[in-house]
Amino acid sequence: MSAYYRSGERARSNSWKETKDYLLSLSVEDRRQFYRTGHISLKDIPIFTPTSNGNDKPRYPRNEKLDQKISLIRGDITKLEIDAIVNAANRALLGGSGVDGAIHDAAGNKLVKECASLNGCHTGQSKITGGYYLPAKFVIHTVGPIVFGCVGAEDRASLRACYKSALELAVQNNIRSLAVPCISTGIYSYPREKAACEALATVREYLDEHHDKFDRFIFCVFELKDNEIYLRNLPLYFPGASTGSMDKKQTSADKEKKEECASTDKEEKREECASADKEEKREECASADKEKMEERSSKGPIDEEQTEAQTSSDDKEQTKHEGIGTIESVLTYCITVWYGNCTDADRKSLQRIVRAAEKITSVPLPP
Ligand code: ADP
């Protein structure tokens, strides 16, 4: 048996642990033969160089230690060949639509198997797995808040907690290059600009204290709108030499403003309250999520070793978890459809349903 064949076998072993350990033991060059997608190396990800942002004053003072450490890239996060990427997951941690689906598709079915061993994840928290056939070595799964209507203090705190818990997990695992998508701004409907401001503020505050732990932090946006938002806001949170002339007085005056977004009141209002268009989009996304989960349930794993995998005990456990993922997905769909006409009392009972779903996903399954 050739060494190449043996290595392929280990990489495609039925056990997620074996595959994970094997892939993580390889050099970057050797891992490349297993990628399912093209890759972008860290050296090819441009470093963000702040330029002046019109009349907007920076919200944070300049920190030279963060020079060369921040990137903004528009594209598919699954292609980044870095230490870890963050997944905007759901509480079941078993894959869904959007970036979650893209990550699971590119990583292969060992990812869902490892995820199934984690017993879900609460909103605002993060859990780490291997990256499997992704160019990224690890995936940090975080669960963003689902926003119904206006953003509340709890939503803001949860979104910040997502970024912070992902950063903390990265430090604990010696991850030096990390990319995040725009968490919660897809199906979960967090207004984009507000989400960007929370993300930027949380990352900035964390990196101020832990800059030595990271070589690069990458904001990975997918849509043009988000790219524009980040281009506009990045210089306010990571000012360069030309934008960093901020005195102490201004720092404290702006401290109060840190949590506000750069958008105008009008823009905020428009984004804050769910518009008809958005409702439509959420319905679409929720049903896409549901379809995706159902497809996963009916087709099973999409990997090469599908047949053996379906008969393994690992997979029996996975199927049970997928059931839970589907329940959560269906609930999200029902809530989205119902939301259009519901009263405050209805909304409260919907929140109870969501919390109940959260409990279900966290109940450890029997072996
Ligand atoms: P959530 O449920 O947290 O809202 P979504 O996946 O629906 O998660 O959307 C989160 C963000 O991920 C959105 O801004 C969406 O544009 C972005 N996104 C979707 N696919 C990708 C991808 N392949 N790479 C990077 N970002 C992506």
Side-chain angles (χ1 to χ4, degrees), residues 60 70 155-164 167 180-185 190-207 217-221 229-230 233-234 237-238 258-261:
Y60 287 77
I70 304 297
D155 299 319
R156 269 200 299 277
S158 295
L159 189 63
R160 280 181 170 243
C162 284
Y163 285 92
K164 191 157 183 226
L167 282 156
V180 284
C182 307
I183 297 160
S184 275
T185 62
Y190 205 110
R192 291 165 194 280
E193 183 116 19
K194 280 181 178 293
C197 293
E198 301 302 342
L200 286 161
T202 311
V203 173
R204 166 69 206 243
E205 285 164 23
Y206 193 85
L207 291 185
F217 187 91
I218 302 152
F219 293 96
C220 179
V221 299
I229 288 170
Y230 273 84
N233 283 286
L234 262 165
Y237 292 83
F238 297 92
K258 268 180 199 170
E259 295 191 4
E260 286 173 19
C261 285

Side-chain angles (χ1 to χ4, degrees), residues 16 25 67 158 244 254 272 281-282 326:
W16 61 262
S25 73
D67 285 354
S158 295
D254 277 357
E272 217 171 77
K281 188 153 184 257
R282 281 166 61 184
T326 308

